[in-house]
Amino acid sequence: MQKKRHPTKYLGEEYQRLVDKSLNWELKELQSASEPLCTIDGKQVIMLCANNYLNLSTHPKIVNAMIEATEKYGAGAGSDRSIAGNMTLHEELDRRLAKFKNAPASLTFQTGFMANEGVIPQLCGRGDLFVSDALNHGSIIDGVRLTHADRAIFKHKDTEDLARVMEEAEKHQPSYKHIWILTDGVFSMDGDLAPLSRIAKIAAEHGAGVYVDDAHGEGVLGDGGRGIVSHFHLNQDQVHIEMGTFSKAFGVIGGHISGNEDVRNFAYNKSRTWLLSGGVPPGVAAACIAAIDVLETEPEHVKKVWENRDYFLKAMQDLGFDTGNSETPIVPVMCGDSKKAKELAEFIWSRGIFGLPIVFPMVARDKARIRVQLCTKHTKEQLDKAIHAFEEGGKKLNLI
Ligand SMILES: *Cc1c(COP(=O)(O)O)cnc(C)c1O
């Protein structure tokens, strides 16, 4: 008989394989609040890789809303929203978000990942088709994988390829009942935008639905940070489901979808992540409402993140850096191979700058980069210090 191995032994072996290939995550420890100047692993550094674009995670109105609601309603919702945990604050948040999004209805989830993983699998089944941008987020990919629907991929942002895929799909299978086109709004590795108007037009020609994941666009794009649908002046008859998160520019946590009433009613009756998992704590719901308030009443935050982004992007381009196809406060500093990206990250870290190296397999082997994310409260001095560190490191590594 084969000698029995400990059941978890292969887990350690798999981890070791990742370490050997330098593919393991080395977790850094954030020892202060997420601020432009923060303490990580005992070192004071300038943060260049947080999703906290508007620095709302420490906004006093939002923090106070969380404390007050927690004192009044407790630490937890006590149940799934579907059963006994649907608090007034959850309903208010759904309504406030819909109003902010100029949508008939919204539904909030525990996280953005759970929104995608809950809603997408319910949209299509056998005899239906998902059509997906090649660079979509993992939560969209996982959502699609939970279905028996057919899948087709179009080249990143390539609407000619999308049109070709749609035509071929219809030729091959004229009986598809439902077709949904799925795309990120802002692509998180490159900071580029989905061509949403053209996607919506192609979808309309084929009677397909459009689902956009705007996790990195909200709080940044569109009128007052209303996101990519607002940015392109589209509505819920053109982009049928707009998904997003409270964990990035809103500075809290939570996911959401917006659309018409049918979308909301369908989503909360069918999505298993919504039905079978606890509602967010009342403090979280109150903080998300306060974050919407802040976006509606303090437009300066969105304006400032763009100023910082334009300043940083121009300085880096003037130095000769390749900044890819950035159209947002996500600015990739292209390095080529993974080794260079890691060396550059280590160099700027030694100068007190925290920028995240993004390497294979997250991006193609020759497209390793440092992903920089600008935020509202970066000061000019902090940005200059970062730019100077990049300049020194870039010269050392022959990138500029
Ligand atoms: C971050 C992100 C998500 C997940 O959002 P969470 O609320 O953090 O779970 C989904 N899609 C995209 C494109 C993201 O960038």
Side-chain angles (χ1 to χ4, degrees):
M1 203 176 101
Q2 201 186 350
K3 191 163 177 290
K4 287 212 172 66
R5 281 158 51 99
H6 191 279
T8 65
K9 190 154 190 333
Y10 77 101
L11 306 182
E13 289 164 359
E14 179 59 26
Y15 171 70
Q16 194 53 48
R17 267 192 292 278
L18 293 174
V19 173
D20 293 344
K21 287 192 248 164
S22 299
L23 291 176
N24 60 310
W25 280 103
E26 282 171 27
L27 295 179
K28 291 196 185 297
E29 188 173 318
L30 177 61
Q31 293 155 328
S32 64
S34 177
E35 293 268 29
L37 193 61
C38 58
T39 309
I40 295 179
D41 292 348
K43 190 176 157 102
Q44 213 182 45
V45 292
I46 295 168
M47 172 73 94
L48 282 188
C49 49
N51 293 324
N52 196 10
Y53 295 109
L54 306 179
N55 301 106
L56 297 191
S57 73
T58 47
H59 192 294
K61 275 191 202 160
I62 299 171
V63 173
N64 285 334
M66 185 178 258
I67 293 168
E68 281 170 21
T70 304
E71 279 172 355
K72 192 162 173 197
Y73 296 106
S79 177
D80 304 353
R81 280 182 71 182
S82 55
I83 301 172
N86 188 39
M87 299 180 114
T88 307
L89 280 168
H90 294 129
E91 287 288 334
E92 187 184 335
L93 175 59
D94 288 358
R95 280 193 301 273
R96 285 299 309 275
L97 184 74
K99 194 160 155 270
F100 179 72
K101 288 277 179 184
N102 294 318
S106 294
L107 181 70
T108 55
F109 285 72
Q110 301 88 335
T111 69
F113 204 112
M114 289 172 78
N116 279 340
E117 215 177 54
V119 175
I120 291 173
Q122 303 303 326
L123 297 173
C124 288
R126 223 177 283 284
D128 299 330
L129 173 70
F130 281 119
V131 182
S132 211
D133 184 288
L135 295 189
N136 276 347
H137 191 258
S139 54
I140 295 182
I141 295 170
D142 276 10
V144 169
R145 280 188 184 155
L146 289 173
T147 72
H148 295 289
D150 286 351
R151 300 131 204 218
I153 308 281
F154 62 97
K155 287 186 200 143
H156 177 51
K157 285 183 60 161
D158 187 336
T159 45
E160 269 176 36
D161 199 46
L162 171 62
R164 178 191 64 78
V165 167
M166 297 293 284
E167 270 151 36
E168 274 179 18
E170 287 204 330
K171 236 183 273 159
H172 168 71
Q173 179 66 281
S175 60
Y176 279 130
K177 276 211 307 274
H178 310 293
I179 301 178
W180 278 88
I181 301 172
L182 309 172
T183 184
D184 281 18
V186 174
F187 291 85
S188 53
M189 297 298 158
D190 294 275
D192 53 348
L193 297 187
L196 204 55
S197 297
R198 279 180 286 144
I199 289 175
K201 191 162 169 283
I202 292 168
E205 285 161 14
H206 294 267
V210 179
Y211 184 110
V212 65
D213 173 342
D214 201 26
H216 286 277
E218 286 171 344
V220 172
L221 293 173
D223 173 31
R226 280 168 176 74
I228 193 163
V229 172
S230 158
H231 174 83
F232 283 108
H233 306 291
L234 297 167
N235 62 41
Q236 291 77 34
D237 290 326
Q238 294 159 308
V239 176
H240 309 91
I241 301 182
E242 181 181 5
M243 171 270 164
T245 176
F246 292 107
S247 74
K248 292 187 171 123
F250 286 88
V252 194
I253 192 159
H256 52 82
I257 56 158
S258 297
N260 62 26
E261 291 286 352
D262 289 340
V263 166
R264 176 183 148 96
N265 291 336
F266 175 88
Y268 82 77
N269 280 280
K270 300 282 278 190
S271 163
R272 288 159 71 85
T273 55
W274 198 92
L275 289 164
L276 302 177
S277 183
V280 294
V284 168
C288 292
I289 293 168
I292 295 171
D293 270 338
V294 167
L295 274 162
E296 285 176 345
T297 55
E298 301 175 17
E300 61 270 23
H301 304 294
V302 180
K303 198 164 155 262
K304 193 69 208 300
V305 74
W306 280 100
E307 278 173 26
N308 282 344
R309 177 263 185 191
D310 291 347
Y311 180 80
F312 181 83
L313 185 72
K314 178 164 190 311
M316 292 295 281
Q317 286 177 343
D318 287 350
L319 284 171
F321 278 106
D322 174 1
T323 51
N325 304 317
S326 168
E327 297 174 82
T328 62
I330 297 175
V331 177
V333 179
M334 306 305 288
C335 299
D337 66 66
S338 298
K339 196 159 157 282
K340 272 202 177 170
K342 285 189 172 169
E343 281 172 4
L344 184 57
E346 271 167 36
F347 180 84
I348 61 172
W349 175 260
S350 76
R351 295 290 189 271
I353 312 292
F354 183 27
L356 187 70
I358 309 256
V359 300
F360 180 81
M362 278 188 286
V363 291
R365 278 182 203 279
D366 60 342
K367 292 256 189 311
R369 69 206 53 191
I370 294 188
R371 181 178 66 174
V372 171
Q373 292 166 284
L374 286 313
C375 69
T376 292
K377 288 209 295 194
H378 278 131
T379 64
K380 194 112 174 294
E381 292 69 36
Q382 288 166 347
L383 294 179
D384 285 341
K385 189 175 165 192
I387 291 159
H388 185 66
F390 271 113
E391 180 180 12
E392 259 188 283
K395 284 185 176 151
K396 228 177 110 192
L397 292 167
N398 288 323
L399 288 168
I400 53 170

